[in-house]
Amino acid sequence: MTVRYERRDAAAVVTMDRPKYRNAQNSAMTYALDEAFGRAVDDAEVKVIVLAGAGDHFSAGHDIGSPERDVHTSFDRKAVLWWDHVGRPGGDQRYARESEVYLGMCRRWREIPKPMIAMVQGACIAGGLMLAWCADLVVAADDAFFADPVVRMGIPGVEYFAHPWVMGPRFAKEFLFTGEGIPAARAREWGMVNRVVPRAELETETFALAERIATMPQFGLALTKKAVNQAEDLMGLRSGMDAAFGLHHFAHAHNAEVSSDPLAGQDARSMRDGR
């Protein structure tokens, strides 16, 4: 089981449960998350969703090397209407898979009609950012850190390219150009995080916020979320993300052409160590 689901009063708690791999996301986890979110949406008693990661870290990103990586496995398509990636050659395979499992799913989750809070501790890296940014609010422990190091692969950021909107263009450039992790306090200064709390108080503070939100009318919350998301889209989020996704795949293709490796020789260890 890669995801756990539980109810706490009016909150649905969706917990990524691969702590051995710092909650790196394989496709099985992606679809388990989607199922859990759907369950929360369909439960009329759920007013708020809390997204959490088991263990010391929220999520170290996409699974690019664990024994449970499932990149060549077929899954039910739910986010986009495109053909299955399995058996497709070259860039066709990668584009089909990432359109569904990465960009498509994150866009789907951003539109969940119930407020979602990401409860972040430890690492929130690359694909982990995508999950946190799908949430409406982010409560971070003081030991949390955030990074998108994929420029080391020659790739302009993760697939769900929300950087300029969640932290502003200049900070987005610094964040991407250096690939360095930033602490929770700086992430809050940049507008990525709503609250930073001591690690020991993370759960208490997150659920207190969820309880406060749950007192509001459910339909009012849904419409308010939609209004803010629409405003963000009018500021170019969706079209900018489409443009960046094309550049992302151009970078993969370039890497494959000059080195035969779409990831430019990087793996989970080298990305973690900044090599």
Side-chain angles (χ1 to χ4, degrees), residues 107 238-248:
R107 281 178 162 173
R238 188 174 184 89
S239 57
M241 200 173 287
D242 283 337
F245 191 64
L247 295 173
H248 181 101

mmCIF file of all heavy atoms in Angstrom, residues 107 238-248:
data_model
loop_
_atom_site.group_PDB
_atom_site.id
_atom_site.type_symbol
_atom_site.label_atom_id
_atom_site.label_comp_id
_atom_site.label_asym_id
_atom_site.label_seq_id
_atom_site.Cartn_x
_atom_site.Cartn_y
_atom_site.Cartn_z
ATOM 1 N N ARG A 107 -2.870 18.728 -12.368
ATOM 2 C CA ARG A 107 -3.929 19.674 -12.731
ATOM 3 C C ARG A 107 -5.284 19.198 -12.234
ATOM 4 O O ARG A 107 -6.121 19.999 -11.778
ATOM 5 C CB ARG A 107 -3.950 19.847 -14.244
ATOM 6 C CG ARG A 107 -2.866 20.770 -14.764
ATOM 7 C CD ARG A 107 -2.899 20.869 -16.263
ATOM 8 N NE ARG A 107 -2.175 22.027 -16.733
ATOM 9 C CZ ARG A 107 -1.934 22.286 -18.003
ATOM 10 N NH1 ARG A 107 -2.369 21.452 -18.942
ATOM 11 N NH2 ARG A 107 -1.267 23.359 -18.364
ATOM 12 N N ARG A 238 -1.957 28.411 -16.509
ATOM 13 C CA ARG A 238 -2.171 27.221 -17.333
ATOM 14 C C ARG A 238 -1.418 27.296 -18.662
ATOM 15 O O ARG A 238 -0.751 26.340 -19.063
ATOM 16 C CB ARG A 238 -3.665 26.999 -17.584
ATOM 17 C CG ARG A 238 -3.949 25.677 -18.266
ATOM 18 C CD ARG A 238 -5.434 25.390 -18.395
ATOM 19 N NE ARG A 238 -5.646 24.071 -18.966
ATOM 20 C CZ ARG A 238 -5.741 22.938 -18.275
ATOM 21 N NH1 ARG A 238 -5.629 22.970 -16.964
ATOM 22 N NH2 ARG A 238 -5.927 21.792 -18.881
ATOM 23 N N SER A 239 -1.488 28.429 -19.335
ATOM 24 C CA SER A 239 -0.802 28.534 -20.624
ATOM 25 C C SER A 239 0.706 28.531 -20.440
ATOM 26 O O SER A 239 1.448 27.949 -21.250
ATOM 27 C CB SER A 239 -1.252 29.799 -21.365
ATOM 28 O OG SER A 239 -1.017 30.953 -20.592
ATOM 29 N N GLY A 240 1.194 29.166 -19.371
ATOM 30 C CA GLY A 240 2.622 29.139 -19.087
ATOM 31 C C GLY A 240 3.117 27.737 -18.784
ATOM 32 O O GLY A 240 4.215 27.341 -19.191
ATOM 33 N N MET A 241 2.288 26.977 -18.083
ATOM 34 C CA MET A 241 2.643 25.595 -17.766
ATOM 35 C C MET A 241 2.698 24.745 -19.032
ATOM 36 O O MET A 241 3.583 23.902 -19.196
ATOM 37 C CB MET A 241 1.613 25.040 -16.775
ATOM 38 C CG MET A 241 2.068 23.834 -16.004
ATOM 39 S SD MET A 241 0.860 23.382 -14.738
ATOM 40 C CE MET A 241 1.104 24.687 -13.539
ATOM 41 N N ASP A 242 1.754 24.965 -19.959
ATOM 42 C CA ASP A 242 1.783 24.246 -21.233
ATOM 43 C C ASP A 242 3.075 24.537 -21.995
ATOM 44 O O ASP A 242 3.705 23.632 -22.554
ATOM 45 C CB ASP A 242 0.589 24.652 -22.102
ATOM 46 C CG ASP A 242 -0.717 24.010 -21.655
ATOM 47 O OD1 ASP A 242 -0.667 22.960 -21.000
ATOM 48 O OD2 ASP A 242 -1.783 24.573 -21.969
ATOM 49 N N ALA A 243 3.470 25.804 -22.028
ATOM 50 C CA ALA A 243 4.693 26.176 -22.735
ATOM 51 C C ALA A 243 5.912 25.533 -22.086
ATOM 52 O O ALA A 243 6.795 24.996 -22.778
ATOM 53 C CB ALA A 243 4.843 27.698 -22.758
ATOM 54 N N ALA A 244 5.968 25.564 -20.761
ATOM 55 C CA ALA A 244 7.106 24.976 -20.055
ATOM 56 C C ALA A 244 7.154 23.464 -20.228
ATOM 57 O O ALA A 244 8.239 22.873 -20.301
ATOM 58 C CB ALA A 244 7.034 25.338 -18.570
ATOM 59 N N PHE A 245 5.975 22.822 -20.312
ATOM 60 C CA PHE A 245 5.937 21.367 -20.499
ATOM 61 C C PHE A 245 6.552 20.993 -21.850
ATOM 62 O O PHE A 245 7.265 19.993 -21.966
ATOM 63 C CB PHE A 245 4.495 20.872 -20.403
ATOM 64 C CG PHE A 245 4.353 19.378 -20.325
ATOM 65 C CD1 PHE A 245 4.852 18.670 -19.240
ATOM 66 C CD2 PHE A 245 3.692 18.669 -21.318
ATOM 67 C CE1 PHE A 245 4.705 17.293 -19.154
ATOM 68 C CE2 PHE A 245 3.541 17.291 -21.245
ATOM 69 C CZ PHE A 245 4.051 16.599 -20.154
ATOM 70 N N GLY A 246 6.294 21.807 -22.872
ATOM 71 C CA GLY A 246 6.919 21.558 -24.163
ATOM 72 C C GLY A 246 8.433 21.686 -24.090
ATOM 73 O O GLY A 246 9.167 20.858 -24.646
ATOM 74 N N LEU A 247 8.924 22.718 -23.405
ATOM 75 C CA LEU A 247 10.366 22.882 -23.238
ATOM 76 C C LEU A 247 10.960 21.738 -22.429
ATOM 77 O O LEU A 247 12.079 21.277 -22.701
ATOM 78 C CB LEU A 247 10.658 24.221 -22.559
ATOM 79 C CG LEU A 247 10.277 25.473 -23.356
ATOM 80 C CD1 LEU A 247 10.468 26.716 -22.497
ATOM 81 C CD2 LEU A 247 11.088 25.572 -24.635
ATOM 82 N N HIS A 248 10.225 21.284 -21.433
ATOM 83 C CA HIS A 248 10.654 20.148 -20.612
ATOM 84 C C HIS A 248 10.932 18.925 -21.497
ATOM 85 O O HIS A 248 11.973 18.272 -21.374
ATOM 86 C CB HIS A 248 9.541 19.858 -19.591
ATOM 87 C CG HIS A 248 9.834 18.742 -18.648
ATOM 88 N ND1 HIS A 248 10.250 18.951 -17.346
ATOM 89 C CD2 HIS A 248 9.761 17.387 -18.792
ATOM 90 C CE1 HIS A 248 10.418 17.785 -16.746
ATOM 91 N NE2 HIS A 248 10.122 16.822 -17.601
#
